């Protein structure tokens, strides 16, 4: 059993609604189907279901799925991908991670490098960070003038409209952690030699801009949550709940596509000795 979509819909930001990160408790787990152990069992079922739905997506070869993951450092973008996609064949999913743009990328419009990674027919693509960085980090650090990033919300909506009208289903997840939770996770990276590589010197400077980032997320999510490409705000302090929300939303969404296996006529085929 997975939660009814109507419950999960409560996490979606409705088009035109304002969004205040402070009004969503990152610790919340109220939609979970049970306690942590019970939810982990559901997650395993969902991961298996997702594996089957991916095969169907690939076989029917008409739909495309784009999953956008955004969140502050340590919010769990990598962990979400690792867990939620566990049941999917490595052939069935592609991850595109967007880092600081290269010189060549900066010589083009901000969507140029993004468009090339969007899914083709039958594909699931996950964006680990995305074009939204161009209204988040870019805004917080004033990497381009305000009049440039201000225009990008409309440009993003137009871009996502093009993708949607050409058969792409888009889900955008904001992995919402608290500032305290981030402190613990950053400290864990410093305490564990196996995690040192994940720690970047700049992470501490970014953390100091927490409120600016929250303001940037609030505006980005308010202005770009649409019917065709909704934002889902995922309380993410609890990793098991985060994974369950993301997995159930993706499974529901793929089920709603009502895909069918192609049925070519094989009645005349004979396999010899
Ligand atoms: P990480 O996800 O920890 O590997 O870090 C990737 C870094 O690249 C983050 O600090 C992002 O903010 C940064 N980044 C991603 N996209 C952009 C962009 N369009 N402009 C500037 N920085 C970016
Ligand atoms: Mg990082």
């Amino acid at each position: 059993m997975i939660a009814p979509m109507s419950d999960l819909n409560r996490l979606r930001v409705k088009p035109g609604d304002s969004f205040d990160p402070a009004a969503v408790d990152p610790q919340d787990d109220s939609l979970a189907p049970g306690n942590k152990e019970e939810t982990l069992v559901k997650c395993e079922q969902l991961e298996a279901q997702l594996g089957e739905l991916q095969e169907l997506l690939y076989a029917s070869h008409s739909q495309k799925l784009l999953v956008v993951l955004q969140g502050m450092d340590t919010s769990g973008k990598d962990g979400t991908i690792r867990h939620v996609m566990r049941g999917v064949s490595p052939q069935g999913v592609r991850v595109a991670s967007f880092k600081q743009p290269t010189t060549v990328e900066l010589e083009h419009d901000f969507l140029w490098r993004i468009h090339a990674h969007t899914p083709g027919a039958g594909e699931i693509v996950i964006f680990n960070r995305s074009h939204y960085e161009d209204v988040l980090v870019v805004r917080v650090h004033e990497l381009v003038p305000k009049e440039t990033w201000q225009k990008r919300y409309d440009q993003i909506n137009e871009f996502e409209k093009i993708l949607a009208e050409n058969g792409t289903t888009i889900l955008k997840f904001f992995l919402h952690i608290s500032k305290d939770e981030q402190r613990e996770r950053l400290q864990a990276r410093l305490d564990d030699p196996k995690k040192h590589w994940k720690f970047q010197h700049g992470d501490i400077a970014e953390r100091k801009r927490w409120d600016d980032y929250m303001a940037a997320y609030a505006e980005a999510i308010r202005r770009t949550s649409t019917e065709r490409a909704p934002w889902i705000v995922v309380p993410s302090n609890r990793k098991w709940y985060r994974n369950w929300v993301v997995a159930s939303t993706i499974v529901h969404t793929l089920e709603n596509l009502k895909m069918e296996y192609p049925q070519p006529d094989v009645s005349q085929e004979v396999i010899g000795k």
Side-chain angles (χ1 to χ4, degrees):
M1 266 296 291
I2 52 179
M5 194 64 196
S6 52
D7 282 352
L8 284 168
N9 272 341
R10 279 194 259 150
L11 302 175
R12 286 185 186 218
V13 177
K14 311 279 171 303
D17 271 10
S18 66
F19 166 63
D20 175 9
V24 178
D25 179 6
Q27 201 73 19
D28 179 45
D29 61 5
S30 56
L31 297 177
N35 62 23
K36 179 177 172 180
E37 282 64 39
E38 290 160 345
T39 305
L40 285 172
V41 172
K42 303 277 183 218
C43 273
E44 277 182 29
Q45 293 165 359
L46 286 165
E47 286 153 15
Q49 262 179 293
L50 188 53
E52 287 169 23
L53 283 161
Q54 182 280 323
E55 270 201 52
L56 180 54
L57 181 86
Y58 186 77
S60 56
H61 224 78
S62 56
Q63 310 276 350
K64 306 146 189 180
L65 178 67
L66 174 61
V67 174
V68 172
L69 294 181
Q70 281 289 161
M72 299 293 283
D73 283 324
T74 76
S75 61
K77 299 180 287 294
D78 298 333
T80 302
I81 296 169
R82 197 167 54 242
H83 284 92
V84 171
M85 291 295 148
R86 218 161 18 188
V88 175
S89 160
Q91 290 201 93
V93 62
R94 191 153 55 80
V95 178
S97 298
F98 294 97
K99 312 275 181 190
Q100 275 163 2
T102 63
T103 319
V104 175
E105 286 168 350
L106 283 173
E107 283 171 357
H108 294 77
D109 72 84
F110 75 106
L111 293 166
W112 180 76
R113 67 169 181 161
I114 306 289
H115 206 157
H117 291 283
T118 55
E123 263 194 314
I124 298 178
V125 170
I126 303 181
F127 281 1
N128 182 347
R129 302 190 189 267
S130 65
H131 43 305
Y132 284 94
E133 291 293 326
D134 293 281
V135 289
L136 294 166
V137 64
V138 167
R139 162 179 165 154
V140 169
H141 290 283
E142 298 172 56
L143 301 180
V144 298
K146 183 172 183 183
E147 57 268 28
T148 304
W149 60 255
Q150 271 291 353
K151 291 190 187 125
R152 290 183 173 169
Y153 303 103
D154 290 342
Q155 292 167 356
I156 287 173
N157 286 332
E158 290 298 321
F159 172 63
E160 292 178 354
K161 181 168 184 247
I162 293 170
L163 298 182
E165 287 182 352
N166 286 279
T168 308
T169 299
I170 306 170
L171 292 170
K172 303 182 293 202
F173 295 98
F174 171 46
L175 306 184
H176 185 30
I177 55 167
S178 63
K179 199 175 174 192
D180 284 346
E181 179 69 20
Q182 190 195 50
R183 189 202 305 107
E184 284 181 26
R185 293 186 186 182
L186 284 174
Q187 190 62 51
R189 286 184 182 179
L190 287 178
D191 293 344
D192 180 354
K194 284 191 193 155
K195 289 187 179 166
H196 286 176
W197 67 275
K198 275 200 161 191
F199 191 89
Q200 287 161 307
H201 188 63
D203 290 351
I204 293 170
E206 292 304 284
R207 176 174 166 77
K208 294 207 172 97
R209 309 296 300 270
W210 184 275
D211 292 344
D212 297 331
Y213 272 105
M214 287 306 114
Y217 268 107
E219 183 164 8
I221 290 175
R222 173 174 69 79
R223 294 187 61 177
T224 63
S225 203
T226 57
E227 281 305 334
R228 67 176 87 85
W231 274 104
I232 296 123
V233 176
V234 186
S236 296
N237 276 11
R238 296 191 162 99
K239 295 173 182 171
W240 53 272
Y241 185 66
R242 172 200 78 200
N243 293 341
W244 175 80
V245 168
V246 174
S248 343
T249 306
I250 296 176
V251 165
H252 272 301
T253 303
L254 288 177
E255 280 180 337
N256 280 342
L257 294 178
K258 310 270 181 254
M259 297 176 288
E260 304 265 359
Y261 277 102
Q263 297 296 336
D265 181 10
V266 292
S267 57
Q268 303 302 314
E269 305 287 350
V270 179
I271 301 180
K273 277 194 182 171

